[in-house]
Amino acid sequence: MSFDKPKVTRANLNDLKEGFRHRGTQDACPWRRIRDDDFGAGGYFLIPGTSYQLIVAVALVLPGIVFGTTLQRLRGPTPEDKDASTRILRAIAVGAALDVLYALAFGPKLVQLAHPAPGRQASLFSIFAANPREIAIWVALLAGAVPALAAFCVHFQSAFRETSREIAIKKRLAEALKIHYRTTPTAWDYIAREGGCFIRVRLSDGVYFGGWIDGQSFVSGYPEPKDIFIRSQWALNEKGVFLHKIPGTRGVYIPVSDGVVVEWLSMPDQVEDGSSVEPPETEKQ
């Protein structure tokens, strides 16, 4: 098998020169193409390179981001929120829908604000310098307040439908207005805030530790591994009954791994002879 040598002609040379010139204009193009392996092999996305393109990108995405973030804060995350591409597409769709409504409702006013001051060259700075306060108010309204209000309306409608129809309408409205979702990531992070009480820890091998926790104790939470520092350690018997404070204690550190049971107690159990165990007066305060 033989291959013919490509013939180099003046036309070919001109095509090569034009190709290199075109490549140079691509490199100088304001919209820069960035490879993103997260979108799959060979995936690319564009990022804005000029101020006007940045405004377009913000106007398209920012209202949707505010809408999605507010809605997630009100009702909590959903399985779809775990997918980054789904969140991005939803933000773009919501932002585009809101931008269409904004153009229909406030189009002439927004076009008027986009004109530079008389006698000045059209630029982002000149447009903003002409009406800085008014532009800031419109941005806060259209990119922040309206998407947040829309998210609240969507959440309220969904929460109202989930309330029981057997109760009075006022109670249904009041129940729908309540925010039941908490941002605390785990039950451990919620209860770990408790202080001014006794705590009892049973390890996976059945050994008990415990003591008094207060503001000088420390409990780690999400996203770090769970552990606890008990400032005042107490002696416990093999049944987990509090006996007495260990003399000279400076605290005890306990990593809370799988199989460890932690209990928070207002008052510990009684010892075997029936006498109650109470913290010293300094630990009660």
Side-chain angles (χ1 to χ4, degrees):
M1 181 181 297
S2 62
F3 296 93
D4 296 333
K5 234 182 194 187
K7 296 181 180 179
V8 180
T9 62
R10 184 176 296 275
N12 291 341
L13 289 175
N14 292 334
D15 291 340
L16 290 174
K17 292 178 180 179
E18 185 64 25
F20 282 111
R21 188 180 301 111
H22 180 64
R23 180 180 178 183
T25 57
Q26 280 188 334
D27 292 339
C29 179
W31 286 94
R32 303 188 185 280
R33 191 172 64 168
I34 306 297
R35 184 180 180 89
D36 185 8
D37 294 332
D38 294 336
F39 289 96
Y44 291 90
F45 70 97
L46 297 175
I47 61 173
T50 66
S51 58
Y52 285 103
Q53 293 169 358
L54 180 61
I55 292 175
V56 172
V58 170
L60 185 63
V61 178
L62 185 58
I65 293 177
V66 173
F67 175 87
T69 303
T70 305
L71 187 61
Q72 182 177 351
R73 177 62 182 85
L74 292 172
R75 71 179 182 185
T78 60
E80 293 80 7
D81 294 332
K82 296 181 179 180
D83 188 3
S85 59
T86 301
R87 295 199 308 269
I88 294 174
L89 292 176
R90 183 171 56 193
I92 294 176
V94 173
L98 290 175
D99 288 339
V100 171
L101 295 178
Y102 295 159
L104 294 175
F106 313 110
K109 181 62 178 178
L110 297 178
V111 172
Q112 181 183 355
L113 289 175
H115 282 288
R120 292 191 176 185
Q121 186 179 4
S123 65
L124 180 62
F125 177 77
S126 62
I127 293 174
F128 181 77
N131 301 289
R133 293 183 178 178
E134 192 173 0
I135 291 177
I137 292 174
W138 277 101
V139 170
L141 179 66
L142 301 183
V146 174
L149 180 61
F152 177 80
C153 293
V154 172
H155 166 72
F156 176 80
Q157 181 184 13
S158 176
F160 182 77
R161 268 191 267 175
E162 294 178 357
T163 58
S164 176
R165 297 185 178 182
E166 298 178 358
I167 61 178
I169 187 66
K170 291 184 178 180
K171 291 185 177 180
R172 292 185 64 186
L173 292 173
E175 188 67 21
L177 288 173
K178 293 181 180 178
I179 301 177
H180 300 282
Y181 172 70
R182 295 185 177 182
T183 56
T184 305
T186 65
W188 168 263
D189 292 272
Y190 172 76
I191 190 61
R193 302 173 183 174
E194 291 289 331
C197 61
F198 282 91
I199 190 169
R200 178 167 55 199
V201 182
R202 188 187 70 189
L203 304 182
S204 56
D205 57 1
V207 178
Y208 285 93
F209 286 89
W212 175 264
I213 58 174
D214 54 14
Q216 297 183 10
S217 300
F218 188 84
V219 179
S220 63
Y222 179 86
E224 301 300 329
K226 293 178 290 187
D227 57 11
I228 184 170
F229 169 72
I230 304 174
R231 184 188 68 88
S232 178
Q233 184 182 5
W234 283 55
L236 284 75
N237 63 13
E238 65 278 0
K239 296 181 180 180
V241 177
F242 284 81
L243 301 178
H244 56 82
K245 179 180 178 180
I246 297 179
T249 178
R250 298 292 297 271
V252 58
Y253 168 82
I254 305 174
V256 183
S257 55
D258 294 339
V260 176
V261 178
V262 183
E263 301 174 79
W264 283 261
L265 307 170
S266 298
M267 189 62 62
D269 302 330
Q270 293 183 336
V271 295
E272 295 178 344
D273 59 4
S275 60
S276 61
V277 179
E278 295 187 5
E281 292 297 328
T282 56
E283 295 185 351
K284 284 184 179 180
Q285 297 176 355

